[in-house]
Amino acid sequence: MEITHDTLVAFSKSWGLFYLIAFAIGVAIYTFWPSNRRRFHRAKHSILDQDDKPWR
Amino acid sequence: MSELFHRKIERTAIGFVVAIIAAASVGGIVEIAPLFTIPDTVEEAPDMRLYTPLELAGRDIYVREGCYACHSQMIRTLSDEVERYGPYSLAVESKYDHPMLWGSKRTGPDLARVGGKYSDFWHVAHLSNPRDVVPESNMPAYAFLARTPLRMDDLGLRLAALRAVGVPYTDDMIENAAADAYGQATPDSSYSEGVTGRYGEKTQISAFDGVTTNVTEMDALVAYLQVLGRLTDVAYGRTAASEQAPDPDQ
Amino acid sequence: MIAQLTSSERQYSAVILILLLMAGIAMAALGKADALGVQGVIVLLYSGVLLAFVLSSIDKPEPSEDRQANYYDDPIKVGIVLSMVWAVFGMFMGVWVAAQLAWPNLAFDAAWSTFGRMRPAHTTGVIFGFGGNALIATSFHVVQRTSRTRLAGQLSPWFVLMGYNLFCLLAVSGYFIGITQSKEYAEAEWYADLWLVIVWVTYLVLYIRTLARRKEPHIYVANWYFMAFIVVVAMLHIVNNLAVPVSWGHAKSYTIWPGVQDAMVQWWYGHNAVAFFLTAGFLGMMYYYLPKRAGRPIFSYRLSILSFWGITFFYMWAGSHHLHYTALPHWVQNLGMTFSVMLLVPSWASAGNALLTLNGAWHKVRDDATLRFMMVAAVFYGLSTFEGSFLAIRPVNSLSHYTDWTVGHVHAGALGWVALITFGSLYTLVPALWKRERMYSAALVEVHFWLALAGTLIYVFAMWNSGIIQGLMWRTYTEDNALAYSFVDSLLAMYPYYIARAFGGLLFLLGTIVGCYNIWMTVRMAPVTAQDHADLPDRRAAPGIAPSPAE
C-alpha cells in the first residue's frame, strides 16, 4: 500500500484519538484507585512538616 | 493493573520520565509527521526560482535585524488581507525558506508581496530613516546598512549549507556566489550576465542603493525586499482577486 | 560557594572550567572576524573569571564529613540572585523596547539598539534569564524538601546553574551583535543550543537521581511538573534547533526545516515553551509554595494529578493555533483549535485548586502580600488560560492574530502569572533559605505587590484596547466596499496605547527593583540565632514505609 498524505492523516487522527481516550482512562484509574488514597493524603500533608534536614 | 503499573514507574523516576514523554510526544508526532508528505497534495510551482546570493544575503540581514518581529510574511485567507496585501500565501512559496519568516505580529504591514510595489529608491530612503518617507512610522532607522560593506567571501558557504538542508543550489551557483552578488548589484559589469544565466531572466539587476562603487548591506536587503512574493507567480493564478504580479518595468 | 566542595571536586571543577576556556579559545580562533569570534571571547572571559574564583579558594578548608546531613542550599541562593539580576535586565529591556515603539528615535541610530535586536534580548532575558534561573533554584529547593534528601550531586548543581547562565549570556550578547536564528523564543544559535543540551541533560540526570534517593514513598506532585518542564523542554529544544551551520567558523546556521514544516515545528516549540517552561515549571512552584505559605494542604491532590496529565497531553497539540488561516493544512489548524479549547479544563482545574486551597485562609491573603502575590497569580493563570483558549478559536483568531492583543495575552500570562508566582515563591523561599525570621520589610513586599499589579493591569488593558482597535481597523470596509483605513491609520491609533504600555511596564520594573532591594537587605539581616527547630534533625520516619533501598 502506498503511504499518501491522506492515509497518514487518517491514521494520525484515529490513532491519536484512541491514544487520548486510553490515556485518560489510565490516569483516571490511577487517580481514583482506592489504595492510593492514603499515599495521596500523606503527600498532600507532608510538605507542611518541618523540612530543615534531610532524613537519614 | 494500571495502579500497579503506575506504582512501578513511580518508584524509579526514570519510568516517570518515560510516561511524560509518551504523553507529550503524541501531539507533535501526529501534527508534524504527516506534513512531510505534503508535496503529495500541495500546489506545484514549476516557475519558482531560488534566492540569488545577494537576495540570500539580504534575507540573512532581515533575520539578523529581527525584522520578522514586526513584519509578517504570511497573507492569510481572509478577504481584507487579500485586498490589502495581495493573493494569500501558499505553502509552496516558502519551500526554500530556512527558516520560514511568516512572523507573528504586524507592528508594520505584511511584506509577503512587497516586492516590486515600491522603487529601490523608496526602500533606500525608507530604510535610512522611515520618518522621511512615512512621517507617522515608528520603525527604527537602518541608515547603518548603507555604511556597512556586504561580506561576500562566505556566500558560497552559505549556499552550500542551504544545499545541505535541501535547497537545490548547483555547484555552479555555489562557485560563483560572490561574483553573482557583485554582478546583481552592479549593472553593466561583466558579472551581471552570469546572474541572469543562473537564476533566470526575471532576476532584477540593479544598483539597489544607487551606488555602484561598492556593494553594501543596503543593496542586499533591498534586493531581498524586491524579490518578496516574486519567486513564483503561482499564487496569482489561485486567488479570486484579479490582481497581477507586479511588473517592475512598467 | 566553594566551601561545600571537597578538594577533588574543586579540582574537577577547575578541569571543567579549563576545558570550557579552551572551547572559548577555539571558538575565538575559528570565528576570527565572524561574530562567533566575539562569542568565543565571552566564553573565555566567563570561564576565566569562574576559574580564577575556584583557584583562589582551592586551598580553603574542606567541608565536614556530614555534609550529607544537610540540604544543599548554596546553588539555590546563587540561583535566586542571578534570577533577580536577569529580571531587572530583562524588564529594563522590555521598557526600553516598549518606549521605542512610542518614540522610535530612542534607538539612537545604532545597530545594536534597534527594536529587532533588543526584542529577543528582552524575551530571552525575562523568560530564560529570570524565569529559568528561578525555576532551577526553586526546583532544587522543592526536590530536596519533598524528597527529604540532599541533591544527588555536589558539582553538578553548579554546572547546571553556571552553564545555564552561560547559555543565557551567549544568547543575549549575540542578539546585540546580530546573531539570531529568528525562531521566536529559540533565537540562540547552534553552538549555544548544543551547550544547552549538555547542561540540560545534566539537569535531568541530577533531578532523576535526587528523586531516586527520596525518603518519601510518593513523588510530590510539584516534582511532576518540574520533571515535565525538564523533559519536554529538552525534546522541544532539540527538535526545533536542528540546524546546519554555515561553517565551523560561523555563528550563522540554517534550520533543517523548510517553510511550512518549519512553521509547524517552530510553533509546536513556541507554544510548548509557554506550556512547559512558563506553565508546568511555575505550576510546580505553585503546588509547593502556595500550600506552604498558606499553611494549608492543597485543596485536592487528585485534581492536581488529573490536571497534570491533562496539561502534559493536551498542550502538545495546541501549537498550530498560531497558524490559523495560513498555508498550514486546514486539518492541523482544526486539531490545534480543538485541543486549545480542551486545555481550558486542566488549566482551570489547576487555578481552581490553588484558589480553593486558600478557602479558610482568606484573612492571611488579606494581611500577607506574599500570599496575595500567589493568589493573584492563580487568578491571572485562570484568566490568561481562558483568554488563550478563546484566542485559539479560528474566527476570534482572525481578528486577534498579528495584533497587540496577542502581546497583551502573553503579558497577562508572563507578568500576571509567571512573574507574580515567582515573586510570591521567592518571598517565601528567601527567609527560609537564609534562615531569617522574615523578609526585611513586609511594607516593601506590599509596595512591590501593588506596583506589579498596577503595572500588569495598565499593560494588559492598553494592549487589549490597541489590539482590538487594530484588528477592527484592518478589516473595516467603507460603504462602497473598499478598505476604510490604511495601515498607517491603524498605526497612528496605537500611539496612546504604546505610551500607556511603556508606563505599565515601567511600574512593573520599579516593583522588581524594590524586590531586589528587599531581598538584598534580608540577606544582610542577622540570622535566627536561637537553637530552635532549625538545628534539630527531623528523624521521624514516614509511617508504615520501609526505607528506600537506595540508602
Side-chain angles (χ1 to χ4, degrees), chain C residues 110-298:
Chain C
W112 65 269
S113 59
T114 50
F115 182 90
R117 292 197 188 185
M118 293 213 302
R119 187 241 185 199
H122 161 59
T123 54
T124 303
V126 289
I127 298 174
F128 297 107
F130 167 52
N133 276 302
L135 284 170
I136 292 175
T138 53
S139 70
F140 283 170
H141 180 250
V142 170
V143 73
Q144 293 188 86
R145 267 43 177 204
T146 57
S147 303
R148 319 269 182 198
T149 187
R150 188 182 163 95
L151 282 175
Q154 307 307 320
L155 203 51
S156 53
W158 288 115
F159 181 77
V160 171
L161 188 69
M162 300 322 280
Y164 179 77
N165 279 280
L166 175 60
F167 165 79
C168 294
L169 188 67
L170 284 176
V172 169
S173 63
Y175 308 144
F176 291 119
I177 55 175
I179 301 172
T180 170
Q181 293 193 108
S182 87
K183 284 172 164 273
E184 284 184 66
Y185 318 117
E187 290 93 346
E189 270 290 359
W190 59 276
Y191 50 90
D193 290 336
L194 280 175
W195 173 245
L196 185 63
V197 171
I198 299 172
V199 170
W200 213 253
V201 169
T202 313
Y203 188 16
L204 178 63
V205 171
L206 171 65
Y207 212 85
I208 292 175
R209 287 185 57 220
T210 307
L211 281 177
R213 288 170 49 158
R214 72 186 183 279
K215 308 292 188 297
E216 286 280 358
H218 176 79
I219 302 177
Y220 183 67
V221 71
N223 293 307
W224 300 24
Y225 285 94
F226 282 123
M227 286 287 284
F229 149 66
I230 299 170
V231 171
V232 181
V233 165
M235 265 166 59
L236 298 166
H237 175 76
I238 291 171
V239 174
N240 190 38
N241 286 305
L242 292 172
V244 174
V246 170
S247 81
W248 295 115
H250 275 77
K252 170 84 184 164
S253 70
Y254 295 105
T255 177
I256 67 160
W257 310 109
V260 68
Q261 285 93 335
D262 187 41
M264 184 63 231
V265 171
Q266 159 57 26
W267 288 111
W268 167 79
Y269 167 90
H271 194 72
N272 289 302
V274 175
F276 290 90
F277 208 100
L278 297 178
T279 303
F282 292 90
L283 281 171
M285 273 188 209
M286 187 189 81
Y287 277 115
Y288 182 78
Y289 294 103
L290 180 91
K292 197 82 181 158
R293 185 73 183 190
R296 301 171 58 82
I298 193 78

Side-chain angles (χ1 to χ4, degrees), chain B residues 10 17 24 31 36 60 64-65 74 76-77 80 84 94 97-98 100 104-106 136 138 151 154, chain C residues 34 101 116-117 178 184 214 227 250 254-255 257 259 262 316-317 325 398 402 404 474 477 485 495:
Chain B
E10 209 181 74
V17 172
E31 289 185 350
F36 289 93
D60 290 346
R64 183 188 78 193
E65 299 304 333
M74 172 48 61
R76 296 181 294 169
T77 55
D80 59 296
R84 192 181 295 275
S94 45
D97 288 2
H98 295 262
M100 59 87 204
S104 59
K105 176 73 174 62
R106 284 181 187 151
E136 305 87 347
N138 62 352
R151 181 176 175 190
D154 64 351
Chain C
D34 192 81
L101 289 181
R117 292 197 188 185
E184 284 184 66
R214 72 186 183 279
M227 286 287 284
H250 275 77
Y254 295 105
T255 177
W257 310 109
D262 187 41
M316 278 294 178
W317 303 68
Y325 301 98
S398 76
Y402 295 135
D404 287 323
W474 289 346
Y477 284 84
Y485 300 102
Y495 277 101

Side-chain angles (χ1 to χ4, degrees), chain A residues 12-23:
Chain A
S12 283
K13 286 197 275 193
S14 51
W15 185 79
L17 185 67
F18 168 74
Y19 192 93
L20 166 70
I21 294 169
F23 200 89

Side-chain angles (χ1 to χ4, degrees), chain B residues 52-164:
Chain B
T52 64
L54 187 67
E55 290 156 8
L56 178 72
R59 193 173 199 274
D60 290 346
I61 292 166
Y62 184 99
V63 166
R64 183 188 78 193
E65 299 304 333
C67 306
Y68 59 86
C70 294
H71 294 283
S72 58
Q73 289 185 22
M74 172 48 61
I75 302 166
R76 296 181 294 169
T77 55
L78 299 168
S79 67
D80 59 296
E81 299 215 349
V82 172
E83 227 154 296
R84 192 181 295 275
Y85 301 116
Y88 58 81
S89 302
L90 302 178
V92 69
E93 290 180 280
S94 45
K95 75 170 170 179
Y96 296 139
D97 288 2
H98 295 262
M100 59 87 204
L101 294 171
W102 293 8
S104 59
K105 176 73 174 62
R106 284 181 187 151
T107 305
D110 187 277
L111 298 181
R113 306 206 182 284
V114 79
K117 278 195 182 157
Y118 304 90
S119 66
D120 295 343
F121 180 77
W122 185 92
H123 276 299
V124 173
H126 181 250
L127 284 165
S128 300
N129 184 12
R131 278 156 293 287
D132 288 349
V133 187
V134 185
E136 305 87 347
S137 171
N138 62 352
M139 184 172 128
Y142 289 95
F144 63 88
L145 292 177
R147 301 192 291 261
T148 316
L150 182 68
R151 181 176 175 190
M152 291 191 283
D153 62 319
D154 64 351
L155 283 173
L157 288 172
R158 287 174 190 249
L159 262 54
L162 278 170
R163 182 162 73 177

